[in-house]
Amino acid sequence: MPAVDKLLLEEALQDSPQTRSLLSVFEEDAGTLTDYTNQLLQAMQRVYGAQNEMCLATQQLSKQLLAYEKQNFALGKGDEEVISTLHYFSKVVDELNVLHTELAKQLADTMVLPIIQFREKDLTEVSTLKDLFGLASNEHDLSMAKYSRLSKKKENEKVKTEVVKEVAAARRKQHLSSLQYYCALNALQYRKRVAMMEPLLGFAHGQINFFKKGAEMFSQSMDSFLTSVADMVQSIQVELEAEAEKMRVSQQELLSLDDSVYTPDFDVATPQINRNLIQKAGYLNLRNKTGLVTTTWERLYFFTQGGNLMCQPRGAVAGGLIQDLDNCSVMAVDCEDRRYCFQITTPNGKAGIILQAESRKENEEWICAINNISRQIYLTDNPEAVAIKLNQTALQAVTPITSFAKKQESPCPSQNLKNSEMENDKIVPEAAVIIPKAEQLIAPGTPIQFDIVLPATEFLDQNRGSRRINPFGETEDETFPEAEDSLLQQMFVVRFLGSMAVKTDNTPEVIYEAMRQVLAARAIHNIFRTTESHLMVTSQTLRLIDPQTQVTRANFELTSVTQFAAHQENKRLVGFVVRMPESTGGESLSTYVFESNSEGEKICYAINLGKEIIEVQKDPEALAQLMLSIPLTNDGKYVLLNDQPDDSDGSSSENRGAESEA
């Protein structure tokens, strides 16, 4: 141990300037030691606080490890091994927590407490003795000053004796305090070295004891357990790296696709459409009516489930029912100047929801899927095969002609029968080899017309020139004055589906075959758009009237209607055969197919009633008996069928379609 500087006690009484100078050095050293001791104590208290925090942290960690089992993880399948491992680790952490608590106690007793005692005892003692030495020195200086002022001329023994005693007492007091102060400063040089070493010894012994007990705790069994856990983590890491590489390759493959994946309606000209779908899912825009004339469009996720159309908003757990698709109809519509819109109509004719797809391909696939589902194909044993078979049958339908002009240019089968037979010898249409009975009803290769007449606006432009359209919708057509005198005026809301030339009108099977071919051709060529019209049945004619302009689109003499029938399964399908004279002197037969909002049987009944009126019109008595046989309602209108009109769909046109007036 090196020598320690000291203050000489013999020089305390003289209190020379040299002694005072040396004393100031010791005082400066004591002040520096006090500052350093405070900083060291803060550092040791921080270590102790960290150890206490470690105890609390390990205790909380143990609880959290046990809480893993109680968490309701949505993807927690297969976590049994992890749960058992965490339980074991929780026990280990609890044992470590005991060791950390013991270490914290040792640090408090052997590290923090000694340095606190050194600061509070030794350093505080030196500071107190310094103050006492200063007071004693001041008293000695005052007494010496008083002694120095004693008078030489008027010397008073009594006063002199008192002053001398006072100086002696002050000097003794200063001497005593200086001796104590010097001794404390000399002892501080030794105590500071002990104070620096003792806390570190306690810290080191506490850590060594902690590690020794920890080593004893983690025996060979703990080592094997840690090895198994490390192996499990390593295997999981290997699986993760393999999965990450696989996902990286998949990501590169997905990103290497062309822009058609991201661009909506990329192949608008020739999209690859799957017409055999019996289920479909994807995002569509749903039209919602928010006011009398205001609407909003909401992008939602739609999917089919059995015969139902479901909707699931983003973030929802499950979807909800939007529309029952059984026996419903779907067609493309124009809505608010938006593309790719289609409307689903309920079986009773009510206009349902309007949806918008993002591309032509999606639009047509949704329409095809809903059409397949509405036929209840999904209830069969093999719905995919049934859908493919139906579409293959539809592919055998003839190629449609969608304009009135093209049909006028094409030769009628009756006019060019020989030419068509010669062409049929060379090229045999697909429909001719499927159902032999169909050849006897409809000539193979017969074109289908989907627009019965020109639109109402074109009709006005071509037949009325530039005349103004009546804004109140009142008809200006005076070419049918017989309607006012007709005994029968019956109105139905219909949509024209198609027409085609036929060979015979002797059987209603020709109408059923025409319906099959028209519907198949519409499905194949995605012609779902139809125009709504009013079919007026009178005792002389059948008239198709535009519901907005009241312009007559087509007119057929009732005597030229030779056959009419409603579909046996789809009650809303109705058709009739018309015999028309040709310019060559012969006659042609054409079948017209419609979809009605009401039952087709009602239209057939009205046509039959009109034809009966024509037959008995020459005989007033027979006519009166016929009109009396028709029941009347309370307001004097004739009921067409034995049952009352069906107004369940709320349509005023259907109410009109269930009654007749005389």
Side-chain angles (χ1 to χ4, degrees):
M1 176 69 70
V4 177
D5 294 326
K6 298 180 182 179
L7 287 170
L8 297 178
L9 299 181
E10 293 81 2
E11 298 179 356
L13 181 59
Q14 296 181 0
D15 195 17
S16 63
Q18 292 79 7
T19 304
R20 286 278 183 161
S21 178
L22 183 61
L23 178 62
S24 64
V25 174
F26 276 78
E27 289 178 348
E28 182 181 358
D29 183 78
T32 303
L33 179 61
T34 301
D35 294 338
Y36 175 78
T37 302
N38 291 330
Q39 297 175 5
L40 180 63
L41 179 60
Q42 290 179 1
M44 291 183 176
Q45 286 177 340
R46 187 175 180 181
V47 173
Y48 172 71
Q51 187 60 40
N52 277 335
E53 183 64 27
M54 188 65 178
C55 297
L56 298 176
T58 52
Q59 185 179 3
Q60 183 66 25
L61 175 61
S62 177
K63 293 180 179 179
Q64 287 300 117
L65 294 178
L66 295 176
Y68 182 86
E69 184 180 7
K70 301 178 182 179
Q71 305 303 311
N72 295 324
F73 291 104
L75 303 176
K77 185 178 181 181
D79 283 349
E80 292 79 8
E81 187 175 2
V82 176
I83 292 174
S84 61
T85 304
L86 293 181
H87 276 217
Y88 189 87
F89 270 117
S90 176
K91 296 179 181 178
V92 173
V93 172
D94 284 336
E95 295 176 358
L96 287 175
N97 181 51
V98 174
L99 296 181
H100 281 293
T101 303
E102 184 178 352
L103 176 59
K105 185 178 180 180
Q106 289 181 356
L107 292 179
D109 295 337
T110 61
M111 183 182 70
V112 179
L113 182 60
I115 199 70
I116 291 178
Q117 290 176 346
F118 171 72
R119 187 188 67 172
E120 299 297 331
K121 181 179 180 181
D122 297 334
L123 294 180
T124 303
E125 181 184 3
V126 170
S127 177
T128 303
L129 291 175
K130 179 181 179 181
D131 295 336
L132 294 176
F133 174 72
L135 293 174
S137 296
N138 292 333
E139 291 180 3
H140 178 261
D141 292 340
L142 292 174
S143 62
M144 285 301 298
K146 187 176 180 181
Y147 177 77
S148 299
R149 290 195 300 269
L150 288 176
S151 175
K152 180 179 179 182
K153 297 179 180 180
K154 296 180 180 181
E155 188 171 335
N156 189 340
E157 291 296 331
K158 184 178 180 180
V159 174
K160 181 180 178 182
T161 303
E162 292 177 358
V163 171
V164 170
K165 290 181 179 180
E166 184 178 350
V167 170
R171 185 169 290 178
R172 180 181 292 277
K173 184 177 181 180
Q174 180 190 11
H175 190 208
L176 178 60
S177 62
S178 62
L179 289 176
Q180 293 176 349
Y181 185 37
Y182 288 0
C183 291
L185 289 176
N186 291 335
L188 185 62
Q189 301 303 312
Y190 295 93
R191 291 174 180 173
K192 72 176 181 180
R193 298 183 181 184
V194 175
M196 298 299 107
M197 300 300 178
E198 187 178 5
L200 296 179
L201 285 175
F203 174 78
H205 285 301
Q207 295 291 341
I208 292 172
N209 187 35
F210 174 78
F211 290 129
K212 284 183 178 180
K213 291 185 177 181
E216 294 174 359
M217 179 184 301
F218 296 109
S219 59
Q220 186 68 26
S221 60
M222 185 64 186
D223 292 339
S224 61
F225 171 74
L226 293 178
T227 302
S228 64
V229 173
D231 294 340
M232 181 179 66
V233 172
Q234 184 65 25
S235 63
I236 296 175
Q237 187 67 26
V238 172
E239 294 179 2
L240 174 60
E241 293 176 356
E243 185 65 24
E245 179 66 19
K246 187 185 300 183
M247 290 188 293
R248 186 184 65 82
V249 174
S250 300
Q251 183 179 2
Q252 291 180 350
E253 293 177 354
L254 294 174
L255 293 177
S256 63
L257 300 176
D258 54 10
D259 293 339
S260 61
V261 179
Y262 307 102
T263 306
D265 210 15
F266 180 79
D267 192 8
V268 65
T270 58
Q272 300 296 327
I273 301 172
N274 185 2
R275 306 181 187 280
N276 304 323
L277 296 174
I278 57 172
Q279 58 183 5
K280 180 71 175 171
Y283 280 96
L284 296 172
N285 292 330
L286 173 64
R287 181 176 181 265
N288 296 316
K289 193 171 183 182
T290 58
L292 294 177
V293 294
T294 58
T295 57
T296 59
W297 294 81
E298 184 179 6
R299 188 169 185 263
L300 300 172
Y301 187 80
F302 289 84
F303 61 95
T304 59
Q305 189 175 40
N308 300 323
L309 178 64
M310 313 293 288
C311 172
Q312 184 174 358
R314 185 172 296 176
V317 179
L321 177 64
I322 292 294
Q323 181 78 48
D324 185 3
L325 299 179
D326 288 342
N327 298 321
C328 72
S329 61
V330 58
M331 65 178 180
V333 294
D334 291 327
C335 185
E336 299 182 7
D337 196 23
R338 285 177 174 250
R339 301 184 303 167
Y340 311 129
C341 295
F342 59 93
Q343 178 177 344
I344 302 175
T345 305
T346 58
N348 58 7
K350 285 186 178 180
I353 59 175
I354 295 179
L355 302 169
Q356 180 190 18
E358 68 177 21
S359 64
R360 176 186 171 188
K361 178 178 182 295
E362 286 292 311
N363 182 44
E364 296 184 3
E365 285 189 351
W366 270 105
I367 292 177
C368 292
I370 294 175
N371 273 327
N372 292 336
I373 294 173
S374 66
R375 302 174 186 174
Q376 299 183 352
I377 297 177
Y378 63 92
L379 297 177
T380 59
D381 295 335
N382 192 352
E384 292 83 0
V386 174
I388 294 174
K389 183 177 180 181
L390 289 177
N391 283 281
Q392 286 178 348
T393 304
L395 282 171
Q396 297 164 357
V398 295
T399 303
I401 297 178
T402 59
S403 68
F404 183 74
K406 289 184 180 180
K407 185 178 180 183
Q408 297 298 328
E409 294 174 1
S410 63
C412 293
S414 60
Q415 292 178 353
N416 300 285
L417 183 58
K418 294 182 179 180
N419 295 336
S420 62
E421 290 176 354
M422 293 177 63
E423 293 177 358
N424 292 338
D425 293 339
K426 299 178 181 179
I427 302 175
V428 180
E430 295 179 0
V433 297
I434 295 180
I435 305 177
K437 188 177 179 180
E439 298 179 356
Q440 303 173 3
L441 303 175
I442 301 175
T446 302
I448 299 177
Q449 177 183 339
F450 294 112
D451 48 352
I452 187 169
V453 290
L454 295 176
T457 55
E458 297 180 14
F459 184 87
L460 287 174
D461 294 339
Q462 296 183 12
N463 297 280
R464 298 191 177 188
S466 59
R467 295 173 60 184
R468 180 177 64 87
I469 298 177
N470 191 329
F472 297 100
E474 298 176 356
T475 179
E476 298 178 4
D477 198 349
E478 299 178 358
T479 58
F480 303 98
E482 73 278 358
E484 298 180 357
D485 300 330
S486 176
L487 294 176
L488 176 66
Q489 291 186 19
Q490 188 63 41
M491 188 80 74
F492 299 93
V493 179
V494 296
R495 288 174 292 277
F496 178 69
L497 300 180
S499 65
M500 60 192 310
V502 296
K503 286 185 175 182
T504 179
D505 60 351
N506 296 331
T507 173
E509 293 296 331
V510 67
I511 299 177
Y512 302 148
E513 179 62 22
M515 290 178 179
R516 187 192 69 81
Q517 293 196 19
V518 166
L519 294 178
R522 276 184 168 270
I524 273 300
H525 298 280
N526 290 322
I527 304 175
F528 300 104
R529 185 173 302 176
T530 58
T531 303
E532 188 175 275
S533 302
H534 288 172
L535 177 63
M536 176 175 284
V537 182
T538 69
S539 58
Q540 288 117 359
T541 61
L542 295 178
R543 294 169 56 192
L544 276 178
I545 303 173
D546 189 293
Q548 297 180 353
T549 62
Q550 300 300 313
V551 173
T552 300
R553 290 176 170 173
N555 180 62
F556 305 99
E557 293 293 335
L558 200 58
T559 55
S560 64
V561 179
T562 60
Q563 191 69 252
F564 50 90
H567 197 277
Q568 296 175 345
E569 297 179 359
N570 191 345
K571 302 300 183 181
R572 294 190 296 150
L573 289 181
V574 65
F576 54 83
V577 181
V578 179
R579 183 182 295 271
M580 296 182 179
E582 297 182 348
S583 59
T584 58
E587 291 182 335
S588 64
L589 296 175
S590 297
T591 299
Y592 295 84
V593 181
F594 296 88
E595 182 185 24
S596 172
N597 279 6
S598 57
E599 295 182 3
E601 291 292 342
K602 295 183 179 181
I603 300 178
C604 295
Y605 184 85
I607 296 175
N608 184 64
L609 181 60
K611 296 180 73 68
E612 290 182 3
I613 292 175
I614 294 176
E615 293 295 329
V616 302
Q617 210 165 15
K618 298 180 181 180
D619 188 354
E621 295 183 359
L623 179 61
Q625 293 180 359
L626 176 62
M627 302 309 292
L628 289 175
S629 64
I630 304 175
L632 291 172
T633 62
N634 295 332
D635 53 357
K637 296 182 179 180
Y638 288 99
V639 180
L640 285 183
L641 300 178
N642 293 332
D643 55 348
Q644 293 296 326
D646 183 12
D647 55 354
S648 61
D649 57 354
S651 173
S652 60
S653 59
E654 285 194 41
N655 293 337
R656 291 195 300 267
E659 301 172 352
S660 65
E661 298 181 0

